[in-house]
Amino acid sequence: MSEELKKQVPDVSVIVPVYNAGKYLRQTMEYLVCQTMGSLELIFVDDGSTDGSPEILREYQMKYPERVFVYQTPNLGPGEARNKGIQKARGTYIGFADADDYMEYNMYEKMFEATKDGPCDMVYIPYYLVRDCKKKVMGRISQPELIDQVIFHGEVSFWTKLIHKDLLKKVGKIPEMWFEDTAYMLPVFSYAKNIVYLNEPLYYYIKREGSITNSAADQKTLDTIQAENYALEHCNPLFRQAVAARIADRILFNIQMRWMYSKEFIRHLKTLREDLLENEILKKYPIRYQKIRNYLELPEEIIPARLILPGFGIREEAVSGKKYLKQALKNTEEVVILNEDTCDLSCSEQVKTAWKEKNYEYLNHYFAVKNLYESGGIFLGEGLKIEKTLDHLRGFSSFFGFLDQKTFTDRIFGCCKGDRVVRELWKTYEKPSFYENTWLPLKHRIRNILIAYAGVPLDNQTHLHEYPCAVFDSSVFVIDSQNPMHICSHSFEHCYATPGYSVFPDTAIASLTEKKSSKDMYPQLDSELKRVTNLKNKLIRQRTELRAENKKLRREIELYKDSKSWKLTEVLRRSGRAYRKFQK
């Protein structure tokens, strides 16, 4: 770079961390080098890429030496790459971009122009979330003039901001951790005094599969706890309540979307109790506030690491040789096999009759429910294939799963000792008169109790803490449908000779459940759907317009009826009506 170029200090520096982004990097760089803003430098920090990214960066650096600057870091992560860029940046304002996204060509020009209207620490914009070739506006704020509302509602990503370099220096270095945007941006919000909100989405964030933030089952998602703690420790004390409220809101989201780690998230929420109970910002959102209070009062008890297995009518070697005994729990404390040696067959007349008539299904289910209610644990029936550890389920007081839209599975469920839902289920066995049909199958008993007592709807959806028990949709327990939180699969070969159930090989199930768009599978259906949707939208618009016209007409009529001319001619109208009536 020549001495003359060095003296030309840019108004804006844009920092782009790069790691193995060769597949998308050229597109992003084209959008950046073609920005309409003249006083702009582009700082690319190659964080130890092993693909073709370094060659692409060198190519653009040679082609645009006055605009593109390239630096290296030894694979330290995006946070440290951005720190390197901030250190090298010469601009008064600093923006950020990801190496696989794109933006409007006038994005930085518009954002910089917004800084000229007065003191400005930061310019904030909404953005487009692009997924499956569809885009949606995200990150809008209704009250951008209030810092606490920006903290609570604002998008924490780096790339929707233009930040004054002095504000970044005040907050300090970006931490080296996962979810560094949450850890860093909440303190940045809290120390900003003048935020300019430009209500125009100019950035396109491409949602790609496989990233940590997009993966619900990746254990690295727990690193969000470290990031949130960092944000609370480093924020402006004047806005600690707002930061705590935002963190609590994030925890609610994580409990729902990443329920495998819900007990860790709930434990994290409880550490914030003092910041949340009297939080004035959360109180403005009563439903969320009540959910948080409910989580804070949940007991610490978890389902014991006990496995209960059916043994009546099953060969002992078949039970003891089950593969999932080792896979089910990380540290199994006890395994109970239900059979004539471990169960009291004289405990009730129904049990005696079932033993005499070799009704092994009834015996296995009777003693499974009894054992769960009295001691807690997890029941595993026949024909299960364990995919992930069941420890993910132990944070709930009790759990069940849908078999299909109208049925709950009787092969996997569990609870803590004395759980109230399982207590009601046990009553259906303990008190035979509860049902006219003493031998009612367990899956029907579960259905009746979950609907009548727990209030669970028949919707084949996952419900976590909205009801007295957790309930999971069939993609979690029954069939692997690409759900990242799939726990186990059902095999229907041996246990279900029931009409309405079919047996498929795993490969067939995988092909049936593979995600494909309707456009790929049924072009004519997709075309018809678009036609019908357009027609529906047209009719809705017409109906809205007609309603508006009718409303306008009614207002005009009311005004006319209230006028002097209408009142003066009332006598004439009455006499005219009387004359017409006389003529008839």
Side-chain angles (χ1 to χ4, degrees):
M1 184 166 55
S2 67
E3 292 299 323
E4 184 180 349
L5 286 175
K6 286 182 180 179
K7 293 177 183 178
Q8 297 175 1
V9 178
D11 291 318
V12 172
S13 301
V14 179
I15 298 168
V16 185
V18 178
Y19 178 71
N20 289 349
K23 187 176 179 180
Y24 314 102
L25 185 56
R26 284 185 184 279
Q27 173 185 272
T28 303
M29 295 192 78
E30 283 297 322
Y31 278 95
L32 287 168
V33 298
C34 294
Q35 286 290 307
T36 57
M37 183 175 182
S39 185
L40 177 76
E41 69 173 359
L42 304 171
I43 298 175
F44 295 87
V45 183
D46 176 31
D47 192 33
S49 296
T50 56
D51 66 349
S53 298
E55 288 74 19
I56 297 172
L57 292 174
R58 282 194 293 270
E59 175 190 331
Y60 276 82
Q61 186 179 26
M62 293 178 64
K63 192 174 179 180
Y64 303 96
E66 76 289 350
R67 183 163 267 210
V68 175
F69 305 94
V70 179
Y71 302 95
Q72 281 79 33
T73 51
N75 196 216
L76 299 176
E80 193 55 40
R82 291 190 183 99
N83 284 329
K84 179 81 169 183
I86 294 170
Q87 179 187 348
K88 297 293 183 181
R90 297 175 298 145
T92 306
Y93 286 92
I94 295 178
F96 300 90
D98 281 356
D100 56 352
D101 296 333
Y102 58 96
M103 64 292 296
E104 297 290 347
Y105 289 111
N106 58 356
M107 170 174 162
Y108 293 106
E109 181 180 13
K110 283 191 172 185
M111 293 179 78
F112 181 67
E113 285 298 316
T115 68
K116 297 180 179 180
D117 295 335
C120 177
D121 294 319
M122 176 194 301
V123 179
Y124 176 105
I125 61 170
Y127 66 100
Y128 287 111
L129 171 65
V130 182
R131 186 189 340 219
D132 298 331
C133 299
K134 297 177 182 177
K135 65 180 183 179
K136 179 182 180 182
V137 178
M138 303 289 287
R140 282 205 161 111
I141 307 176
S142 59
Q143 294 177 294
E145 70 280 2
L146 302 176
I147 299 296
D148 59 357
Q149 290 300 303
V150 175
I151 292 171
F152 190 64
H153 293 290
E155 171 60 48
V156 296
S157 60
F158 284 91
W159 26 259
T160 57
K161 326 287 186 306
L162 197 61
I163 308 172
H164 200 287
K165 196 171 185 178
D166 290 345
L167 177 57
L168 295 179
K169 287 180 179 178
K170 186 172 186 176
V171 177
K173 291 182 65 175
I174 300 170
E176 297 178 38
M177 60 176 66
W178 291 108
F179 302 97
E180 77 284 353
D181 50 0
T182 297
Y184 190 70
M185 201 52 65
L186 291 179
V188 169
F189 284 151
S190 73
Y191 280 104
K193 294 181 180 178
N194 302 289
I195 297 178
V196 175
Y197 178 62
L198 184 59
N199 190 17
E200 184 178 357
L202 300 169
Y203 191 92
Y204 295 78
Y205 169 58
I206 315 300
K207 192 87 164 179
R208 305 189 193 279
E209 299 299 325
S211 71
I212 295 300
T213 52
N214 295 339
S215 177
D218 196 310
Q219 193 166 7
K220 277 191 169 59
T221 58
L222 286 176
D223 289 352
T224 186
I225 295 174
Q226 180 188 5
E228 289 158 1
N229 285 336
Y230 181 96
L232 200 61
E233 291 168 9
H234 292 80
C235 72
N236 185 340
L238 296 175
F239 292 97
R240 182 182 173 92
Q241 250 199 10
V243 174
R246 177 60 181 271
I247 290 171
D249 201 51
R250 282 175 55 86
I251 293 172
L252 288 183
F253 173 82
N254 281 325
I255 290 172
Q256 184 65 37
M257 302 304 295
R258 299 175 171 117
W259 58 259
M260 281 187 171
Y261 307 107
S262 60
K263 64 177 182 289
E264 287 88 350
F265 291 131
I266 292 171
R267 192 176 299 126
H268 176 40
L269 188 71
K270 289 180 177 181
T271 65
L272 306 175
R273 174 185 290 271
E274 297 304 317
D275 290 299
L276 301 178
L277 283 177
E278 298 302 325
N279 193 297
E280 296 302 323
I281 294 174
L282 285 175
K283 286 182 178 180
K284 295 177 182 178
Y285 307 91
I287 295 176
R288 273 185 272 196
Y289 179 63
Q290 190 56 51
K291 277 188 178 181
I292 289 167
R293 289 189 66 99
N294 291 343
Y295 284 130
L296 291 175
E297 301 309 318
L298 284 178
E300 293 291 338
E301 185 182 8
I302 63 173
I303 295 174
R306 300 176 71 244
L307 292 179
I308 300 166
L309 308 177
F312 289 102
I314 302 171
R315 298 192 315 275
E316 184 177 348
E317 59 271 20
V319 176
S320 59
K322 284 181 181 293
K323 293 180 180 178
Y324 56 57
L325 283 179
K326 294 181 180 179
Q327 300 170 346
L329 298 169
K330 291 179 181 178
N331 297 295
T332 305
E333 297 172 356
E334 183 182 6
V335 176
V336 179
I337 300 174
L338 305 173
N339 55 35
E340 56 271 31
D341 296 325
T342 59
C343 301
D344 181 7
L345 296 176
S346 62
C347 62
S348 75
E349 293 301 319
Q350 285 70 32
V351 168
K352 293 177 183 178
T353 303
W355 175 247
K356 182 179 180 180
E357 296 179 356
K358 297 183 178 180
N359 187 345
Y360 299 129
E361 181 182 277
Y362 179 88
L363 292 171
N364 283 319
H365 288 161
Y366 175 96
F367 286 107
V369 175
K370 183 176 188 293
N371 200 296
L372 284 176
Y373 174 61
E374 292 178 348
S375 303
I378 298 174
F379 174 73
L380 296 176
E382 285 288 286
L384 289 179
K385 180 181 179 183
I386 304 297
E387 309 287 352
K388 288 186 176 71
T389 172
L390 304 181
D391 288 285
H392 297 307
L393 303 167
R394 295 177 58 207
F396 302 101
S397 57
S398 58
F399 69 84
F400 299 86
F402 280 98
L403 182 65
D404 53 39
Q405 185 73 32
K406 297 182 179 180
T407 318
F408 297 95
T409 179
D410 54 15
R411 297 201 212 176
I412 173 169
F413 57 99
C415 69
C416 294
K417 177 182 177 181
D419 176 74
R420 53 179 173 160
V421 176
V422 177
R423 176 193 63 201
E424 298 302 314
L425 186 60
W426 168 235
K427 285 180 181 178
T428 69
Y429 287 101
E430 186 184 32
K431 301 176 181 178
S433 59
F434 193 91
Y435 287 118
E436 292 182 7
N437 179 5
T438 304
W439 312 108
L440 190 73
L442 176 58
K443 60 185 177 182
H444 296 319
R445 296 172 190 255
I446 293 175
R447 181 179 185 273
N448 293 344
I449 293 301
L450 292 192
I451 293 174
Y453 175 75
V456 177
L458 287 177
D459 57 3
N460 196 15
Q461 298 293 317
T462 294
H463 301 282
L464 300 179
H465 296 279
E466 304 98 303
Y467 302 98
C469 58
V471 181
F472 298 95
D473 70 74
S474 54
S475 71
V476 176
F477 285 162
V478 180
I479 184 170
D480 185 1
S481 61
Q482 315 302 318
N483 185 338
M485 295 188 286
H486 177 66
I487 294 289
C488 64
S489 300
H490 279 39
S491 168
F492 297 99
E493 292 182 355
H494 303 296
C495 299
Y496 278 94
T498 308
Y501 292 97
S502 302
V503 180
F504 295 96
D506 289 345
T507 52
I509 293 174
S511 66
L512 285 170
T513 58
E514 184 179 356
K515 292 183 178 178
K516 293 183 179 179
S517 68
S518 59
K519 187 174 182 180
D520 294 332
M521 298 177 65
Y522 307 108
Q524 68 279 15
L525 181 61
D526 188 62
S527 176
E528 180 65 13
L529 180 61
K530 286 181 179 177
R531 187 188 71 79
V532 173
T533 302
N534 290 335
L535 180 60
K536 182 192 75 173
N537 291 337
K538 182 179 179 181
L539 291 172
I540 290 173
R541 285 195 300 272
Q542 289 177 346
R543 185 176 64 180
T544 303
E545 291 170 0
L546 283 172
R547 285 178 175 173
E549 286 297 323
N550 287 336
K551 194 173 181 179
K552 181 180 177 183
L553 187 59
R554 283 196 298 270
R555 282 200 302 267
E556 291 177 354
I557 290 172
E558 291 299 325
L559 288 172
Y560 187 63
K561 285 183 176 180
D562 197 43
S563 66
K564 289 183 179 179
S565 58
W566 178 269
K567 293 175 181 177
L568 289 172
T569 56
E570 176 67 19
V571 176
L572 296 175
R573 288 197 302 277
R574 285 180 181 175
S575 60
R577 284 196 295 270
Y579 176 75
R580 286 193 295 273
K581 186 175 180 182
F582 174 76
Q583 288 291 89
K584 290 180 181 180

